[in-house]
């Protein structure tokens, strides 16, 4: 397929070098790393190497702090449930309104089981109020879980500082770093972050492989018990090929990090400023001055996101939207609602997320296509009249709401 | 990506009758901005005949909302108002060769816009009476509000009953957790607690089954198991039926034997299936006495 893929926050293409590194582990190196014979022998070494590659990407102090899991969601669940089981006397959780469902749905469930969940709200740019956070930190809090970067807007959260505050009251700190890992340098050994989740498929490794970083000394209760794999912290025969792939992907991500933060950031900025200049009534959501280098989330008012995506798709352009219709729910993105983006705009948000494979030619093409599509859909919109929103009170669209 | 039919794609990419209808004399505006859909339907009706001469739309919404709007205008053009009012949301979906269950509400919006536009033409006020909830059962496109209302109106207390009344949960069964949550909520409103695995309450027993009919059914079930019991040198006899309790007399080799309890349990299960109600089968004193003496 020769399309333009600007949906890298959803998932990424596996790097060809990663595929190449993985292939032997399906064929000649198929052994079980736990076995005594020579079929499994090299596999154990390969896993060790991958663990060190991930350690380096995260800036972790020890390679044994890296626990391989099956995905980001598993890492998130493991972290929160472990913190609760390890500290049964603490019954509260602090998280934010803009987390990924991997955290939010779990917290809703835990609430039903009797835990108290505090949701930190965000302002119109998606920023947290640290004063409100400090007030919630009590001896009752078992764990604080705050994403490092938001998947929809790319906005960063001050997790390093928040982890210190959590420790001051004896609470554990977890961060969902699924979006930031591989895009921005991390240095976990200099932080007080206890646990961190990473997902392979966001950094050009395959789907179905993740990491839970577990700072040495953090009290831990496994989610899966069984064999001694991952030092008993995550039982189940290792997904060897994917672990090796993730190790390679971590190495490549580190190598291209500078490029990601200069060239890709430049392309993203070009895409964004050009679209905003050409399309009236459009704006960037989140905090543009403090976000991932690859992400741009633009709200196009008075039209709906799924319709935009379908038309973009016709031009071979892939992006995603916070509209309700793309997820089959009744509400637009909880992240947009949390920031107070009005419905007429929240439904029309489109997220463009680039990768190191994105090119200037692709950006130029998208800049050319998007304004036409927006115009075409606005022609159909009852809220739009010619060059702007309907203002004539006689003509204003006022539907009976269902 | 949604599994849209070619027809949906066609009507989305080339919408028919889009834009403002200048000399419209019936306009319906409906929608739900929170769900991301809103539609203005404009009709030009010939007053003498009541025939819809022209219809156009403007839609804020997703692919299937735009396609449903387009389909609606195509369907109703040339119809009289009364004929048009017979168009159901299913007709709109069928015209488009089907819609994904999550998107059926787009066709509902189309039908509502039509009702609103006709009301507007006739100088009436249209009021929306349907509330939309989050989709729970994807197999049959049943939403939370419908399930909630059905549980409330019929005093339901099991997932099975919800399935019987609404079809929700009758397919892949993935939504049973969701249905249980709604049950727990509505039941706590009426001061009950939801117990998973509990059998339907008496209210759910088929109405109109007279006492005589019940006894005949019970007899029939006993009759069916009798040959088996006789083979083992025993028998069973119906002694009395008191509400939900059925008294039987086990005789011969059956009475008091180790298998009695299991046999009775099996018969009880059959009886419940047959009567579609919760009953208890109790051996009469005679047999329990023999059992006590033997034990
Ligand atoms: C912020 C965030 N957390 C968690 C996940 C889930 O990761 P995975 O798909 O590996 O379970 C994602 C990806 O969808 C994400 O963006």
């Amino acid at each position: 397929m020769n399309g333009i893929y600007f949906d890298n926050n959803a998932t990424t293409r596996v790097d060809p070098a990663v595929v190449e590194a993985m292939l032997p582990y399906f064929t000649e190196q198929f052994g079980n790393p736990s076995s005594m014979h020579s079929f499994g022998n090299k596999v154990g070494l390969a896993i060790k190497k991958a663990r060190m590659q991930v350690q380096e990407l995260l800036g972790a102090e020890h390679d044994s702090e890296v626990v391989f899991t099956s995905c980001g969601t598993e890492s998130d669940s493991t972290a929160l449930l472990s913190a609760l089981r390890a500290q049964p006397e603490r019954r509260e959780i602090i998280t934010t309104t803009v987390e990924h469902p991997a955290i939010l749905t779990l917290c809703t469930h835990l609430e039903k089981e009797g835990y108290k969940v505090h949701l930190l709200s965000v302002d119109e740019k998606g920023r947290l109020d640290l004063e409100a956070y400090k007030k919630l930190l009590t001896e009752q809090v078992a764990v604080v879980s705050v994403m490092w970067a938001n998947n929809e807007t790319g906005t960063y959260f001050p997790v390093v500082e928040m982890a210190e505050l959590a420790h001051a009251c004896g609470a554990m700190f977890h961060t969902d770093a699924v979006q930031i890992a591989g895009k921005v340098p991390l240095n976990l050994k200099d932080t007080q972050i206890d646990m961190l989740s990473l997902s392979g498929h966001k950094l050009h490794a395959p789907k179905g492989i993740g990491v839970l970083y577990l700072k040495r000394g953090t009290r831990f209760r496994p989610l899966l018990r069984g064999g001694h794999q991952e030092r008993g912290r995550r039982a189940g025969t290792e997904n060897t090929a994917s672990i090796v792939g993730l190790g390679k992907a971590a190495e490549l991500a580190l190598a291209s990090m500078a490029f990601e933060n200069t060239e890709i950031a430049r392309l993203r900025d070009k895409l964004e400023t050009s679209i905003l200049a050409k399309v009236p009534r459009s704006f960037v959501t989140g905090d543009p001055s403090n976000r991932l280098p690859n992400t741009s989330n633009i709200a196009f008012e008075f039209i709906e996101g799924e319709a935009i995506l379908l038309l973009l798709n016709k031009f071979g352009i892939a992006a995603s939207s916070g509209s309700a219709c793309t997820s089959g729910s009744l509400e637009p993105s909880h992240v947009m609602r949390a920031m107070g983006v009005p419905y007429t705009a929240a439904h029309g948000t489109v997220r463009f997320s680039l990768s190191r494979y994105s090119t200037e030619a692709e950006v130029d093409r998208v800049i050319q296509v998007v304004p036409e599509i927006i115009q075409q859909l606005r022609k159909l919109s009852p809220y739009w009249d010619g060059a702007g929103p309907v203002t004539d009170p006689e003509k204003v669209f006022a539907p009976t709401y269902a | 990506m949604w599994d849209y039919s070619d027809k949906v794609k066609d009507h989305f990419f080339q919408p028919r009758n889009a834009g403002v209808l200048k000399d419209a004399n019936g306009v319906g505006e409906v929608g739900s901005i929170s769900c991301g859909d809103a539609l203005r339907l404009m009709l030009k009706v010939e007053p003498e005949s009541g025939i819809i001469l022209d219809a156009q739309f403007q839609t804020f919404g997703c692919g299937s909302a735009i396609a449903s709007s387009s389909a609606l205008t195509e369907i109703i053009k040339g119809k009289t108002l009364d004929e048009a009012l017979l168009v159901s949301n299913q007709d709109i979906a069928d015209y488009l060769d089907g819609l994904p269950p999550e998107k059926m509400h787009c066709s509902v919006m189309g039908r509502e816009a039509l009702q609103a536009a006709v009301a507007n033409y006739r100088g009436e006020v249209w009021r929306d009476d349907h509330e939309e909830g989050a989709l729970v059962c994807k197999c049959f496109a049943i939403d939370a509000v419908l399930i909630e209302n059905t549980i409330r109106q019929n005093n339901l207390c099991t997932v099975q009953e919800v399935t019987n009344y609404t079809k929700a949960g009758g397919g892949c069964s993935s939504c049973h957790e969701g249905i249980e949550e709604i049950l727990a909520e509505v039941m706590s409103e009426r001061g009950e607690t939801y117990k998973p695995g509990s059998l339907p309450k008496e209210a759910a027993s088929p109405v109109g089954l007279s006492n005589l009919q019940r006894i005949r059914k019970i007899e029939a079930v006993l009759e069916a198991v009798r040959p088996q019991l006789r083979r083992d040198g025993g028998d069973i006899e119906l002694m009395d039926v008191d509400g939900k309790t059925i008294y039987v007399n086990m005789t011969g080799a059956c009475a008091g034997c180790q298998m009695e309890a299991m046999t009775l349990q099996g018969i009880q299960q059959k009886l419940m299936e047959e009567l579609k109600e919760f009953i208890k089968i109790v051996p009469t004193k005679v047999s329990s006495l023999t059992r006590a003496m033997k034990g």
Side-chain angles (χ1 to χ4, degrees):
Chain A
M1 239 184 80
N2 251 347
I4 298 176
Y5 187 75
F6 279 4
D7 199 11
N8 287 281
N9 286 11
T11 195
T12 59
R13 163 184 164 193
V14 179
D15 192 293
V18 169
V19 177
E20 199 184 323
M22 290 173 70
L23 287 177
Y25 294 89
F26 293 107
T27 52
E28 60 260 36
Q29 299 295 336
F30 66 87
N32 188 324
S34 304
S35 302
M36 287 307 295
H37 47 67
S38 55
F39 288 93
N41 171 346
K42 285 208 181 115
V43 182
L45 289 175
I47 292 180
K48 181 161 178 62
K49 181 178 172 199
R51 205 182 299 283
M52 288 165 66
Q53 287 164 318
V54 173
Q55 176 198 357
E56 181 140 354
L57 179 73
L58 296 177
E61 191 163 4
H62 310 282
D63 67 344
S64 61
E65 293 174 326
V66 173
V67 179
F68 290 109
T69 65
S70 72
C71 59
T73 303
E74 185 193 324
S75 301
D76 284 347
S77 267
T78 307
L80 262 57
L81 295 172
S82 164
L84 295 174
R85 286 182 193 158
Q87 313 164 90
E89 67 293 347
R90 292 173 176 251
R91 306 278 302 167
E92 297 184 10
I93 302 166
I94 300 177
T95 185
T96 77
T97 49
V98 296
E99 296 298 308
H100 189 270
I103 293 290
L104 280 182
T105 313
L106 174 66
C107 284
T108 313
H109 179 71
L110 288 169
E111 215 162 21
K112 285 184 197 140
E113 296 196 336
Y115 292 95
K116 174 134 191 68
V117 178
H118 301 281
L119 293 177
L120 291 168
S121 54
V122 295
D123 68 8
E124 76 290 348
K125 285 194 162 178
R127 296 171 299 199
L128 293 172
D129 175 359
L130 287 190
E131 290 310 312
Y133 170 56
K134 285 179 199 160
K135 288 201 189 94
L136 291 175
L137 283 169
T138 66
E139 307 258 294
Q140 285 305 306
V141 178
V143 61
V144 178
S145 180
V146 176
M147 62 196 340
W148 204 323
N150 183 269
N151 45 308
E152 292 190 26
T153 61
T155 306
Y156 297 137
F157 291 114
V159 291
V160 173
E161 189 184 347
M162 292 178 86
E164 287 164 14
L165 291 166
H167 274 198
C169 86
M172 290 187 185
F173 192 89
H174 166 257
T175 181
D176 179 333
V178 165
Q179 289 297 341
I180 200 172
K183 292 184 187 125
V184 173
L186 303 178
N187 201 7
L188 289 176
K189 59 178 166 299
D190 292 339
T191 74
Q192 294 196 31
I193 292 166
D194 301 297
M195 296 177 284
L196 169 147
S197 305
L198 172 156
S199 175
H201 71 98
K202 310 285 186 183
L203 52 128
H204 306 286
K207 294 152 189 58
I209 184 73
V211 162
L212 174 64
Y213 159 86
L214 202 56
K215 194 183 265 306
R216 184 169 287 183
T218 304
R219 292 176 65 218
F220 182 70
R221 299 289 178 270
L223 183 67
L224 297 185
R225 291 175 192 267
H228 56 80
Q229 295 90 353
E230 302 298 293
R231 296 169 198 251
R233 294 170 299 178
R234 202 283 187 182
T237 300
E238 297 87 342
N239 183 355
T240 320
S242 291
I243 289 174
V244 169
L246 176 54
K248 183 72 189 172
E251 182 194 313
L252 294 172
L254 213 47
S256 59
M257 211 162 264
F259 179 75
E260 183 102 23
N261 285 280
T262 51
E263 183 57 14
I264 298 306
R266 182 186 71 79
L267 289 181
R268 185 270 317 268
D269 291 341
K270 177 179 180 185
L271 175 76
E272 187 172 277
T273 42
S274 310
I275 289 177
L276 292 183
K278 286 190 181 183
V279 180
R281 298 302 293 246
S282 60
F283 60 90
V284 177
T285 70
D287 185 0
S289 63
N290 186 36
R291 60 174 167 170
L292 292 170
N294 76 321
T295 310
S296 172
N297 192 309
I298 304 178
F300 299 101
E301 289 188 86
F302 310 112
I303 49 175
E304 198 277 340
E306 185 201 294
I308 303 174
L309 296 189
L310 287 170
L311 287 172
L312 281 172
N313 190 54
K314 224 177 132 186
F315 287 92
I317 299 166
S320 62
S321 165
S323 98
C325 283
T326 51
S327 61
S329 63
L330 295 176
E331 279 279 311
S333 143
H334 67 286
V335 177
M336 296 305 146
R337 294 305 298 146
M339 294 189 295
V341 175
Y343 280 121
T344 38
H347 282 294
T349 52
V350 176
R351 177 187 69 190
F352 299 99
S353 47
L354 281 57
S355 80
R356 59 176 184 258
Y357 301 115
S358 305
T359 66
E360 184 122 23
E362 290 177 333
V363 167
D364 290 340
R365 175 78 180 137
V366 176
I367 292 170
Q368 182 198 351
V369 167
V370 166
E372 292 169 22
I373 289 179
I374 304 304
Q375 204 182 4
Q376 183 181 339
L377 285 171
R378 279 181 175 162
K379 269 191 204 148
L380 293 180
S381 171
Y383 294 100
W384 196 261
D385 182 21
V390 179
T391 44
D392 179 353
E394 283 284 292
K395 290 195 201 148
V396 162
F397 183 56
T400 308
Y401 289 100
Chain B
M1 190 57 99
W2 300 111
D3 186 14
Y4 283 140
S5 70
D6 289 340
K7 204 84 180 272
V8 173
K9 287 184 205 155
D10 177 39
H11 277 262
F12 168 67
F13 288 122
Q14 281 97 31
R16 328 285 198 267
N17 315 309
V20 177
L21 182 60
K22 285 275 179 319
D23 41 2
N25 52 6
V27 178
E29 299 184 345
V30 299
S32 127
I33 257 310
S34 72
C35 316
D37 298 314
L39 159 61
R40 172 190 279 146
L41 178 68
M42 292 149 281
L43 304 179
K44 188 172 154 198
V45 183
E46 188 179 59
E48 301 76 38
S49 59
I51 286 174
I52 299 170
L53 297 176
D54 204 358
Q56 291 204 185
F57 76 93
Q58 288 177 293
T59 293
F60 170 96
C62 59
S64 53
I66 290 171
S68 294
S69 310
S70 166
L72 171 69
T73 53
E74 285 290 278
I75 294 172
I76 60 173
K77 273 205 284 187
K79 281 193 163 52
T80 65
L81 291 179
D82 289 333
E83 284 166 356
L85 282 175
L86 295 176
V87 173
S88 70
N89 74 300
Q90 193 60 49
D91 293 333
I92 299 172
D94 289 346
Y95 184 90
L96 292 167
D97 293 340
L99 286 170
E102 288 88 347
K103 300 295 192 156
M104 280 304 283
H105 65 89
C106 295
S107 61
V108 174
M109 184 175 74
R111 202 209 48 209
E112 289 174 346
L114 175 61
Q115 291 170 334
V118 173
N120 172 266
Y121 170 79
R122 291 176 172 165
E124 299 159 359
V125 180
W126 179 78
R127 209 166 268 111
D128 173 48
D129 56 356
H130 111 281
E131 194 188 342
E132 197 169 78
L135 189 67
V136 175
C137 170
K138 297 201 173 170
C139 296
F140 296 110
I142 314 290
D143 70 27
V145 171
L146 179 71
I147 295 175
E148 217 179 293
N149 291 342
T150 312
I151 295 173
R152 204 169 277 132
Q153 281 153 19
N154 300 284
N155 265 329
L156 306 186
C157 51
T158 67
V159 173
Q160 185 58 49
E161 287 175 310
V162 172
T163 306
N164 293 345
Y165 277 79
T166 66
K167 285 211 296 218
C172 72
S173 83
S174 317
C175 63
H176 283 197
E177 184 183 356
I179 296 177
E180 287 192 31
E181 274 170 22
I182 302 176
L183 273 166
E185 232 178 86
V186 178
M187 286 176 74
S188 78
E189 277 171 24
R190 54 179 206 240
E192 294 173 41
T193 33
Y194 170 69
K195 284 194 235 47
S198 71
L199 285 154
K201 281 193 323 183
E202 301 162 29
S205 77
V207 276
L209 206 59
S210 74
N211 233 355
L212 188 65
Q213 285 173 312
R214 281 180 83 217
I215 289 171
R216 285 213 179 113
K217 283 204 169 199
I218 296 166
E219 287 280 20
V221 171
L222 297 185
E223 205 52 56
V225 296
R226 189 159 285 130
Q228 216 181 321
L229 297 173
R230 291 217 169 120
R231 216 175 304 135
D232 297 330
D235 208 342
I236 190 166
E237 203 188 336
L238 179 65
M239 302 304 287
D240 200 1
V241 179
D242 183 8
K244 301 277 159 204
T245 314
I246 297 171
Y247 294 95
V248 295
N249 193 7
M250 302 282 277
T251 56
C254 291
C257 82
Q258 280 180 330
M259 298 304 282
E260 188 193 346
M262 272 171 72
T263 309
L264 282 178
Q265 222 170 23
I267 297 173
Q268 177 170 293
Q269 187 58 38
K270 281 213 178 70
L271 282 168
M272 287 196 288
E273 282 166 17
E274 204 50 42
L275 300 170
K276 297 197 172 54
E277 58 177 305
F278 180 74
I279 55 99
K280 212 165 89 183
I281 194 160
V282 176
T284 55
K285 292 211 182 66
V286 191
S287 65
S288 354
L289 194 66
T290 357
R291 186 168 57 238
M293 272 155 53
K294 278 196 179 174

